[in-house]
Amino acid sequence: MSWEENVRKVEPYIPGEQPKDKNIIKLNTNENPYPPCPAVRKILDNFDEDRMRLYPDPDSDVLVSAIAERYGLKKSQVFVGVGSDDVISMAFMTFFNSYKPILFPDVTYSFYDVWAEVYRIPYECKPLDGNFRINPDDYKCENGGIIFPNPNAPTGVLENTEMIEDIIKSNSDSVVMIDEAYIDFGGESCLKLIDKYDNLLVIQTFSKSRSMAGMRIGFAMGNEKLIKFMNDVKFSVNSYTMNHITQLCGAEAIKDEKYFNETVNKIIHIRENTKKELSALGFEFTDSKSNFIFAKHRSMSGEEIFNKLKENKIFVRYWNKPKISQYLRITVGMPDEMKKLIDVLKEILS
Ligand code: PMP
């Protein structure tokens, strides 16, 4: 007998690489290439460091209020956390406590099975079809909860809200979480359904469409009862999760609708242009509605292209996993970065 027998052993999630070398074209973790909105700079310039002596507001009221205002909700319908990873992890702990398995797709965000393992939640993966689409009938069986991203990651494939509503309606006994990390790049949110279904939790983030991955802000929106249960668990683990300066910056960022629309539209435009160029080079891809392109080449293997791009200081994401081992996930960067990507790909493929 050793203390090691009582360790909570887990195989951790592996985040995309954050290289130290500044000369790398970094298209591997779906960060936004544009800076946060200008008001964020002002908050940083005017911040009084004496405020750091004090604990932050445990309710993150200024941020919760700003999010509630932006989406036309009550404050009691909004939960904030340190990135949507924190929000989803709290939501797993709060809602997925059944002996029945939770359900998610077989190709999806690779953190879900890690949380399920660490919290000892049974789970079952439902296969996507040949076009990486969800079959709603797979989610009409007994379960302890449901989660999937929309658009899905790493495929970028968007499902329509009618199909998702069908899943939510058929599962009134369990909580259905829609992870909308990438919804702002061309998808329709399920937020419009939260008043109709008390088992729906919609989760979004400031990391992608609001250019603030480094600040760590995520949020969930849902029925007041769901949000209250989440806060009860959060306040039972750590009350002061989000620091003061992050709360202030987040509140400013969500107010600047004009900047948000401009940057999101630029990214969509670059995405569509890059698809055309990739197509001319022999790539095939899903109709991604996110800030990344999920592409495979007609003749060269995904792994080979990934390694060659890396040799040329261009980082994209690759998984040696069933169904997706030929694919690369390429984050949409600045136009000059995408031009360099295309130039290097031309060389690699010649
Ligand atoms: N959900 C999905 C589908 C993601 O791809 C990511 C980004 N890795 C997250 C959630 C978490 O994002 P964040 O914690 O930065 O909000």
Side-chain angles (χ1 to χ4, degrees), residues 13 29-30 82-86 88 109 112 149 151 153 179 181-182 204-208 213 216-218 329:
Y13 171 77
T29 50
N30 297 341
V82 184
S84 51
D85 282 342
D86 179 42
I88 301 168
Y109 186 31
Y112 300 153
D179 174 357
Y182 303 100
Q204 296 191 4
T205 178
F206 281 46
S207 298
K208 321 290 178 186
R216 314 303 300 124
I217 306 175
R329 193 197 66 187

Side-chain angles (χ1 to χ4, degrees), residues 309-327:
L309 283 174
K310 201 161 182 182
E311 282 164 23
N312 283 278
K313 295 196 167 202
I314 299 178
F315 283 23
V316 298
R317 196 96 198 253
Y318 170 77
W319 290 270
N320 193 355
K321 281 190 179 175
K323 286 188 173 180
I324 60 169
S325 64
Q326 288 314 315
Y327 282 85

